Amino acid sequence: MLKPLEPPVPVSEPALAGNELEYVTRSLKEGWLSGQGPFVEQFESETAQRLNRRFGIAVNSGSTALEIALAALGIAPGDEVIVPTFTIISCASAVVRCGATPVFVDADPHTWNMSITDLDRHITSRTKAIIPTHIYGLPVDMNPVLTLAQESGLSVVEDAAQAFGQDYRDRPCGSMGEISILSFYANKLVTTGEGGMLLTDDEDLAHRCRDLRDLCFGRNERFTHSELGWSARLSSVQAAIGLAQLETSSARLQRKCEIGRAYNSALESLADVQIAPAETDFASNHFWAFGLVMRDRATRDKARDLLREYGVSTRPFFWPLHRQPALEDVAFPTATLPVADRLGDAGFYIPGSPTLSDSTVEAVAARVRHTCESLEDTRG
Ligand SMILES: *Cc1c(COP(=O)(O)O)cnc(C)c1O
């Protein structure tokens, strides 16, 4: 008989065991509180360097980074931007806030990332950009995306929020977009609590992103603005946390991989449950989130209820964007996107913090396995 875990195991908790407190204290003692100063600049340059980019522009969230990226690229009313339907709402809201139309693409049934065949089908003469988004630990198959974009003259805004430290073939995620974005939200591999960053190699785009982040203050007459921007700076205190997080990110990534592989071997033989592959021909899974897809919504909901009783927290998968009430009137009309529909209905993920001990991982895996087995379809 498996006992409930006490206290319950959270889906995610931040790991702040490095120099975070020391660097925050230093920032405050040196008088750096706002978005100015050496901590922000150092965080930008170290992050950019880590991901092979020339420029990093720190902002207050990953969602704002997406908005600023599209604005910097001049996305405007009448334009279409291709967005995976299986992702966070931010990818679509950034498009809508430019006055452009998000066009949704279904997920790949095995990796859960944007399907390349479905992407190809959705490019029109109005398409201006694609937002490939790496989801849950595997990257999008980027080479075909980059080729399609080049052939059709489209910008690529790479959403690498969940893929810090991940590689696509031998390139870092975050290095492949004309602009790439990161999030430093509390559940991300590198966190500043709240925060994000734009990354690019193009000096003009970097200047535009910096201006847009900082209200587009005038260069000569500070309070004369020729364009509207955002007040979206990352504070020095947050950047100080980020600098400490960069020092320890490789260890956390390695731990997440170990946890993912342990779950993988405990759960891969389950008959009625789909999990993401540990390897594809272009990447190994870093298991940012360890997901399971059940046979239908009712089974998924039942599994989550049983796991809650076992003290194992879970989260449902993204609800696909083509089914979002908030986007009904502004998105390109889409019928069903069957793979994402299935993922949204039947998927959930389990605890994966790098802070989990081996024994906790083992205990969670045993409870997940037992729960899934008890829900197997026995009708044959
Ligand atoms: C976390 C995340 C973002 C941005 O999130 P913020 O909370 O705004 O920092 C964007 N895209 C993806 C895929 C994410 O997971």
Side-chain angles (χ1 to χ4, degrees):
M1 185 57 201
L2 294 165
K3 287 199 299 268
L5 300 175
E6 253 323 310
V9 183
V11 165
S12 162
E13 70 183 354
L16 302 166
N19 290 321
E20 286 81 2
L21 193 57
E22 184 190 329
Y23 294 172
V24 165
T25 307
R26 198 184 296 169
S27 179
L28 290 173
K29 278 192 174 155
E30 292 177 14
W32 297 111
L33 184 62
S34 74
Q36 321 290 323
F39 290 85
V40 175
E41 283 166 25
Q42 195 187 339
F43 183 48
E44 290 177 333
S45 63
E46 283 191 17
T47 306
Q49 195 178 11
R50 187 79 80 84
L51 302 181
N52 282 350
R53 301 310 304 244
R54 286 183 67 203
F55 305 101
I57 300 96
V59 291
N60 59 3
S61 78
S63 302
T64 314
L66 285 165
E67 293 181 17
I68 291 177
L70 294 181
L73 291 166
I75 304 299
D79 295 343
E80 291 174 6
V81 177
I82 296 186
V83 175
T85 191
F86 189 63
T87 182
I88 192 165
I89 189 80
S90 317
C91 298
S93 53
V95 177
V96 173
R97 291 208 165 112
C98 294
T101 305
V103 177
F104 298 127
V105 167
D106 206 357
D108 177 275
H110 303 290
T111 67
W112 308 335
N113 276 309
M114 183 169 72
S115 153
I116 304 303
T117 27
D118 206 38
L119 163 65
D120 198 7
R121 247 200 304 279
H122 284 88
I123 295 175
T124 72
S125 59
R126 280 199 283 270
T127 310
K128 288 286 155 51
I130 310 173
I131 309 184
T133 305
H134 312 301
I135 294 294
Y136 293 168
L138 279 172
V140 175
D141 190 2
M142 286 299 287
N143 281 348
V145 175
L146 297 171
T147 305
L148 278 171
Q150 195 161 30
E151 284 169 1
S152 311
L154 311 178
S155 296
V156 171
V157 174
E158 180 194 14
D159 182 341
Q162 299 186 2
F164 193 104
Q166 171 67 286
D167 290 325
Y168 169 76
R169 298 190 187 276
D170 51 6
R171 301 177 66 179
C173 291
S175 73
M176 294 175 278
E178 192 171 349
I179 301 178
S180 301
I181 73 99
L182 298 170
S183 164
F184 304 124
Y185 181 63
N187 64 357
K188 302 293 162 47
L189 192 83
V190 169
T191 183
T192 60
E194 308 285 351
M197 196 175 288
L198 297 121
L199 299 159
T200 185
D201 299 327
D202 181 314
E203 193 161 10
D204 292 336
L205 273 179
H207 282 306
R208 270 193 64 64
C209 292
R210 268 182 216 292
D211 285 345
L212 288 166
R213 160 183 78 175
D214 201 15
L215 292 172
C216 294
F217 282 117
R219 289 239 161 77
N220 301 321
E221 297 289 337
R222 179 170 169 83
F223 291 108
T224 305
H225 305 255
S226 48
E227 206 179 340
L228 298 180
W230 281 255
S231 180
R233 296 165 301 274
L234 186 81
S235 78
S236 182
V237 174
Q238 291 172 304
I241 297 172
L243 283 167
Q245 287 273 301
L246 286 178
E247 293 172 349
T248 47
S249 68
S250 309
R252 279 195 303 283
L253 188 66
Q254 197 186 331
R255 182 66 190 147
K256 278 187 90 76
C257 291
E258 283 168 13
I259 293 170
R261 283 197 295 269
Y263 284 149
N264 199 77
S265 46
L267 304 174
E268 67 184 344
S269 63
L270 287 170
D272 225 12
V273 177
Q274 189 203 356
I275 57 182
E279 310 276 343
T280 66
D281 60 359
F282 50 78
S284 67
N285 197 333
H286 282 185
F287 298 107
W288 180 79
F290 193 95
L292 294 89
V293 184
M294 310 301 283
R295 70 176 171 278
D296 55 29
R297 188 182 184 114
T299 314
R300 190 271 308 264
D301 292 346
K302 184 77 191 150
R304 294 189 63 215
D305 286 344
L306 292 170
L307 285 168
R308 188 178 313 114
E309 286 168 25
Y310 270 140
V312 175
S313 310
T314 62
R315 277 277 161 81
F317 272 12
F318 290 123
W319 188 240
L321 299 182
H322 72 276
R323 292 164 84 179
Q324 294 288 349
L327 298 170
E328 233 162 62
D329 300 329
V330 285
F332 198 81
T334 314
T336 63
L337 295 174
V339 176
D341 283 339
R342 180 174 65 84
L343 298 175
D345 276 333
F348 71 102
Y349 59 92
I350 58 178
S353 303
T355 47
L356 298 180
S357 66
D358 286 347
S359 60
T360 303
V361 171
E362 210 175 292
V364 169
R367 282 152 185 78
V368 173
R369 195 181 160 79
H370 187 264
T371 298
C372 291
E373 279 170 349
S374 76
L375 295 171
E376 261 173 29
D377 194 347
T378 50
R379 287 167 300 179

